[in-house]
Amino acid sequence: MPRYPGHPERRPVLIAGGSSGIGAATGVMLAAAGHPVALGARRVEKSQEFVEKIIAAGGEAIAVPLDITDAASIDECITKAEAELGALEVVVSGAGDLWPGRTFEMSDEEFANQVTIHLLGAQRLYRRVVPEMIDRRRGDFVFISSDVAADPRPHMGAYAAAKAGVEALALVARQELEGTGVRASLVRPGQTMTGMGTNFDAETAAAMLNDWVTFGFARHGFFLKPVHLATAITTIVTMPRGSHMRLVEVEAEAPIAEKPQQGDTE
């Protein structure tokens, strides 16, 4: 008998933050790979647009209301997803938003809101689904972090603190889950072109980017696309049992420099 039985044929997925960006792209990709997918988000109407796209392509998906800041909403979302798709084998914690600001100018409430969404939301979701995965001796839980957790930068104090907490939580989860058959993984994206953060006004964006350049960030203007992160997440959860991709960092590649022409001089 193999040390690690293979993945079951049917592996239902819940994606928190499935109405746009990385979450929506991941849902589409996993559905195309044969996973039944539940897209959880507050904007159910936006999630439904991706559900219809998945179904039209021959996949299986549902849109489920989810407010990651509300434990009751998390419970209702998971209960509905499992009633329609079956026990969750894969959960991706990617819900969140971003509000920049200097830490000495942000209100206590503004700072706390980001910690509540990104860190406490991930913890609530993890706590709700992982005990049942442990009982089944299998499952994947994927935390979505950010490169600001490893390299904090101006105007990102609340977001960086929350994501650093997510990374600590993911590390502890890996330790506590060792030997259970459940894998906790962390994806650390670089700058990604998503809807998160596009509501900044011009003055806020300019102040933030200028300070980033001062401290050596924003070295080039290229951004990742959501599909790049979806590819990383899909790779993580489809790894054969007995293997574990614990941390995946994905950064935008810099523009390719032009080759010097023959005869050019320095």
Side-chain angles (χ1 to χ4, degrees):
M1 182 176 178
R3 290 181 299 167
Y4 300 94
H7 295 300
E9 183 175 345
R10 184 176 176 85
R11 298 191 73 206
V13 176
L14 169 66
I15 298 175
S19 62
S20 64
I22 295 169
T26 301
V28 170
M29 187 171 290
L30 286 174
H35 293 266
V37 173
L39 299 179
R42 290 177 298 177
R43 299 181 300 172
V44 181
E45 71 286 352
K46 294 296 295 182
S47 299
Q48 187 61 37
E49 293 176 12
F50 291 99
V51 165
E52 291 170 4
K53 178 179 179 179
I54 289 168
I55 292 173
E60 183 180 359
I62 59 171
V64 188
L66 173 60
D67 180 352
I68 202 70
T69 69
D70 184 345
S73 176
I74 292 172
D75 184 66
E76 291 170 6
C77 172
I78 292 166
T79 299
K80 181 175 181 180
E82 293 194 322
E84 297 203 30
L85 302 179
L88 295 172
E89 295 280 334
V90 177
V91 176
V92 180
S93 177
D97 208 339
L98 173 62
W99 303 277
R102 295 183 177 93
T103 52
F104 60 85
E105 295 175 337
M106 298 183 75
S107 69
D108 294 345
E109 183 179 8
E110 289 170 331
F111 194 100
N113 281 344
Q114 292 194 57
V115 174
T116 296
I117 291 172
H118 294 284
L119 175 55
L120 299 185
Q123 184 272 334
R124 291 186 183 106
L125 184 63
Y126 173 81
R127 183 175 181 274
R128 173 61 178 79
V129 298
V130 163
E132 294 174 8
M133 291 181 175
I134 293 172
D135 287 344
R136 294 192 296 273
R137 312 300 284 175
R138 65 177 187 269
D140 278 288
F141 192 100
V142 181
F143 296 92
I144 307 299
S145 182
S146 167
D147 64 350
V148 304
D151 292 305
R153 59 205 65 174
H155 301 262
M156 295 283 110
Y159 185 68
K163 288 301 189 181
V166 169
E167 297 213 355
L169 174 60
L171 174 59
V172 171
R174 289 201 301 265
Q175 295 168 343
E176 294 177 344
L177 291 174
E178 187 169 287
T180 67
V182 181
R183 305 184 297 197
S185 301
L186 181 73
V187 177
R188 186 186 290 160
Q191 54 195 35
T192 307
M193 188 61 68
T194 71
M196 190 173 75
T198 57
N199 56 343
F200 304 167
D201 60 64
E203 183 179 355
T204 298
M208 179 178 69
L209 291 174
N210 287 338
D211 282 353
W212 285 12
V213 171
T214 298
F215 289 94
F217 300 107
R219 292 175 54 243
H220 61 80
F222 279 27
F223 280 67
L224 295 164
K225 297 179 180 178
V227 68
H228 296 142
L229 279 309
T231 302
I233 295 166
T234 299
T235 302
I236 287 170
V237 304
T238 56
M239 288 290 290
R241 297 199 66 197
S243 60
H244 183 186
M245 295 181 73
R246 301 188 302 176
L247 168 64
V248 177
E249 296 184 88
V250 187
E251 291 285 347
E253 186 176 4
I256 299 174
E258 293 185 8
K259 283 186 177 180
Q261 298 299 312
Q262 190 172 5
D264 285 354
T265 58
E266 294 184 0

